Amino acid sequence: MPLSDEEARLLAQLEQSLAEEDPDFASTLRGSKLAARYRKFAVLAAVGFIAAIAMLLAGAVTATTWLGVVGFVAMVASAYAFIRTWRRGMMGGAEEGRPRSSQPKGSGSGSFVDRMEERWNRRQDDGR
């Protein structure tokens, strides 16, 4: 069931006020787009790896050395791309749109719920 115009307007206002009130939390919620991009790139790298194996085997069967070499280089490149993407995107290396090296100390430890609880507690302490 689609949203009515009034509901869509209220939802847009809620999103906008959330982004203004807590930009860090809003960027965390938008992080799913980044994860989807990493997943897509990892799948493309895996498909490239399979195509490179086919090129390598075709080069070996037909005794075409250059095709085998190109297939091998493509295999190595796609494996590197897959591993790099897996580490950065799938394993949580790029939370909130920032690389792991620029994350503040202690922000990578614990689960998402633990980090949100810690943030809530900090806000409560600052408000007193």
Side-chain angles (χ1 to χ4, degrees):
M1 176 182 214
L3 296 175
S4 69
D5 291 338
E6 179 68 18
E7 291 170 332
R9 186 182 61 76
L10 287 173
L11 182 62
Q13 285 178 348
L14 273 170
E15 290 173 354
Q16 184 180 10
S17 66
L18 174 66
E20 290 171 359
E21 182 180 309
D22 192 356
D24 289 338
F25 182 65
S27 69
T28 299
L29 293 178
R30 286 189 212 113
S32 62
K33 292 179 184 178
L34 187 62
R37 183 179 301 150
Y38 281 128
R39 256 191 313 274
K40 182 179 177 181
F41 193 73
V43 168
L44 287 175
V47 169
F49 186 80
I50 292 170
I53 289 176
M55 285 174 40
L56 179 68
L57 291 175
V61 168
T62 62
T64 309
T65 306
W66 66 268
L67 185 60
V69 169
V70 169
F72 178 76
V73 170
M75 266 178 44
V76 170
S78 61
Y80 174 75
F82 180 82
I83 290 170
R84 185 170 178 226
T85 302
W86 184 264
R87 284 185 182 165
R88 288 185 79 197
M90 305 294 184
M91 302 304 279
E95 295 173 359
E96 299 180 16
R98 293 180 290 187
R100 179 175 294 200
S101 60
S102 68
Q103 294 264 337
K105 286 189 177 182
S107 67
S109 62
S111 69
F112 174 79
V113 175
D114 293 336
R115 290 191 311 268
M116 290 300 114
E117 184 177 355
E118 180 182 339
R119 188 180 291 172
W120 175 261
N121 290 335
R122 271 189 271 135
R123 268 197 214 117
Q124 295 301 316
D125 293 340
D126 292 342
R128 290 182 190 183

